[in-house]
Amino acid sequence: PLAEAAAQHLDTLTAVQPYTRRKYEGYLRLHLAELAPRPVATITEADLAAWIRRLQATGSSPKTIRHVHAFLGAVMATAVRRGWREDSPCNSRMLPRDDHTRDREMPRAMDLNRVFAALQDAGIRVRSMRTKSNRLEELFVRLTGPKQEAAA
């Protein structure tokens, strides 16, 4: 079953933080529950398209769908490498567009006020600010760390 393939995939991840592991387990439990009992070799592109439509219909955001799909793609890649299926049904062309989230790269040395100013200059209204790992405190540590070290 997909659930077993996902568990074995998670067991192969060696550089994953506990937070990330819990997030992936949540994807399986919350978003992939309908596919979890299915034999991994029987899941098709059509099944995934229907699954994506159901996620959209129940209010999952395009960004969430992309993240869960990426995890599923990694599980399917593991299944292919282990010979459990011939190819992966994951095809990013079927993913919904995300017109609400904008990612912007900011230099690490930029202080927080300049980050917000740069975003405002780009016409971006910030409703939440999270790093890619969703840990805002890490952003603050990175932004303030060098100044603290220099003062020491």
Side-chain angles (χ1 to χ4, degrees):
L2 176 65
E4 180 61 28
Q8 290 194 31
H9 171 72
L10 287 172
D11 287 344
T12 67
L13 302 178
T14 58
V16 172
Q17 298 295 319
Y19 167 83
T20 304
R21 184 174 296 277
R22 285 191 307 274
K23 182 172 64 171
Y24 291 161
E25 290 166 348
Y27 288 167
L28 188 63
R29 189 177 66 257
L30 300 172
H31 302 290
L32 294 165
E34 69 184 80
L35 297 174
R38 300 259 316 265
V40 72
T42 67
I43 298 170
T44 66
E45 275 192 43
D47 294 328
L48 294 186
W51 165 72
I52 289 169
R53 284 191 295 276
R54 282 189 291 279
L55 289 178
Q56 288 176 294
T58 57
S60 293
S61 73
K63 187 172 182 178
T64 296
I65 294 169
R66 287 179 178 280
H67 288 183
V68 178
H69 184 271
F71 170 70
L72 179 59
V75 171
M76 290 296 181
T78 297
V80 169
R81 281 193 307 275
R82 293 188 177 191
W84 299 336
R85 60 176 300 130
E86 290 184 27
D87 60 358
S88 173
C90 295
N91 181 343
S92 62
R93 289 177 297 166
M94 69 176 92
L95 294 175
R97 288 179 41 132
D98 183 355
D99 295 326
H100 302 291
T101 302
R102 296 185 199 173
D103 290 330
R104 293 289 187 255
E105 294 294 326
M106 299 291 175
R108 282 184 104 177
M110 186 179 280
D111 69 55
L112 194 56
N113 290 330
R114 288 180 56 212
V115 168
F116 280 103
L119 291 170
Q120 185 175 2
D121 290 346
I124 300 169
R125 185 175 143 242
V126 178
R127 291 178 21 182
S128 70
M129 184 151 178
R130 299 177 291 171
T131 63
K132 288 184 181 177
S133 62
N134 294 333
R135 287 176 262 180
L136 184 57
E137 65 273 11
E138 287 185 5
L139 174 66
F140 287 118
V141 168
R142 281 191 225 120
L143 291 174
T144 61
K147 290 180 184 176
Q148 290 174 350
E149 292 170 8

